[in-house]
Amino acid sequence: MRRGWPAVAAASMVVLTACSSGGGGTSAAPSVNADPVKVTGSITVLTNRTDQLGDGTLDKYAAEFNKVYPNVKVKFEGMKDYEGEVKIRMNTENYGDVLPIPSDLSIAQFPNFFSSLGSSEELSKTYQWTDYATVDSKVYGIANFGTVTGFVYNKKVWADAGVTAWPRTPEEFLADLKAIKAKGQAVPYYTNYHDGWPLRQWTDAIGSPSCDEGAKDELATTAQPWAAGGDLNTIDSLVYAIVDQKLSEDDPTTTNWDQSKVMLGTGKVGAMYLGSWSVSQMRDAATKAGADPEDIGYMPFPSTSGKLCSVLQPDYKYAINKHSRNQEAARAWLDWYIAKSGAAQAEQGISSVKGSELPAALKPFTDNGVQLIGQKQDKSAVVKKIDKGAEINLDAPDYRQKLVDIARGAAPGDRDGYFAELDKKWSQAQKTVNG
């Protein structure tokens, strides 16, 4: 998410304190009135999609919405550093009417800031991933779409280097990047270190290497997540090796997200680790630069289990500010945008509305037998508490930026020493949380 999509430069954890409603809001967003004409109000929708704000896409959605709800005025407010800015605003009551939930906000805090959208029993009949935003059987956010995790890549760059099949192991992936480097026409891998949030994306791979939908939940009881054999070890070892073996850009401090889309789209970059939402943006960048959008492909994370698997999870969950004075209008927009706007399909995303088809960009996953797995959420609150106590923050780029710095020689230490440090912090926080 995210930022192009998503334009986040995640900030350090901000402690949020719920404000009193001042009598202006309610704790539940009502279902939309049967007669859309009777729904009135003016709402502000916060967005990380500054690109869609700039090119008029969001205004077009609003215009379509107004054909159904003519008496609701929709205003958009975009933020480049969405996560950082919105979390500061959430220390007040002024954080829009509808907004994407910041990714590292504890799920236990959702009722402090957002209106209940209904019971999980009812909403789960219509929408996927409601468990990601459910507290005490009430849902506080609904995802616009889901995304699978993997690498967006330029197929021509890989083919020109003699690579015609997806790498099935981390070792094969590194060998393929070396082949691209030897060809001398593209940077094999682009970290987007400067913007930061793309490095956080690697956390979404937890579960893919091992093909284990419970891998993230297991962090609640795993004392050493970075020990050999664990998914975080596999994921971060690959990040380290890419940089250490000089298979990424020369100076990561000068990377640029917007430019990276053009570079991958035109064959100057081989691959980046991003959600499948990125395919449409890279193809758009290729088209605008006069390159072939069909050169853009998507591949799963390499395996340690013997089979290729990709985590299927929601992107940002959209919620309603519990202090909003226009609850019904806000709910009308949220429901329409997610279920009727076609935004998910336009992004090559997997609609959260159950029964929706997979986007065309993921047809190769089906053709090649890639298994799509979920991420269990039973212990997500505990994992968040441990993560916060350890001051690692898996949902921010900081610790992985340090990993890159160590790998490129800009910070002292080595991979194994850093992993041991992370394990120590995690195990100590785990003992505190679990008593």
Side-chain angles (χ1 to χ4, degrees), residues 161-316:
V163 182
T164 57
W166 287 341
R168 299 191 66 85
T169 66
E171 294 75 20
E172 287 182 9
F173 186 84
L174 290 169
D176 291 346
L177 293 188
K178 290 175 182 176
I180 293 171
K181 182 176 180 178
K183 189 70 177 178
Q185 296 178 347
V187 174
Y189 185 85
Y190 197 80
T191 68
N192 263 306
Y193 171 105
H194 178 72
D195 286 87
W197 63 263
L199 281 173
R200 173 255 163 270
Q201 299 281 289
W202 287 77
T203 296
D204 294 336
I206 296 173
S208 289
S210 59
C211 199
D212 181 4
E213 65 178 10
K216 198 163 187 179
D217 262 4
E218 289 167 10
L219 295 178
T221 54
T222 301
Q224 296 180 313
W226 283 269
D231 277 3
L232 276 170
N233 178 282
T234 300
I235 292 163
D236 286 333
S237 291
L238 186 55
V239 174
Y240 186 94
I242 289 170
V243 178
D244 180 56
Q245 297 178 27
K246 302 188 185 306
L247 300 173
S248 56
E249 68 280 346
D250 292 334
D251 184 0
T253 65
T254 62
T255 60
N256 181 285
W257 163 244
D258 288 327
Q259 186 60 30
S260 74
K261 293 188 283 187
V262 179
M263 293 170 69
L264 190 135
T266 57
K268 294 179 181 178
V269 163
M272 295 189 283
Y273 188 83
L274 295 165
S276 56
W277 53 262
S278 61
V279 173
S280 63
Q281 290 197 34
M282 303 301 165
R283 288 179 175 175
D284 183 59
T287 299
K288 290 178 179 176
D292 187 355
E294 292 304 313
D295 285 343
I296 307 303
Y298 199 73
M299 69 172 76
F301 197 93
S303 173
T304 58
S305 67
K307 52 187 175 182
L308 292 176
C309 296
S310 188
V311 174
L312 173 60
Q313 62 185 4
D315 205 87
Y316 271 131

Side-chain angles (χ1 to χ4, degrees), residues 63 92-93 97 147 159 175 207 214 235 249 288 307 344 354 434:
T92 73
E93 294 182 6
D97 296 283
T147 182
I235 292 163
E249 68 280 346
K288 290 178 179 176
K307 52 187 175 182
K354 288 185 173 181
N434 293 337

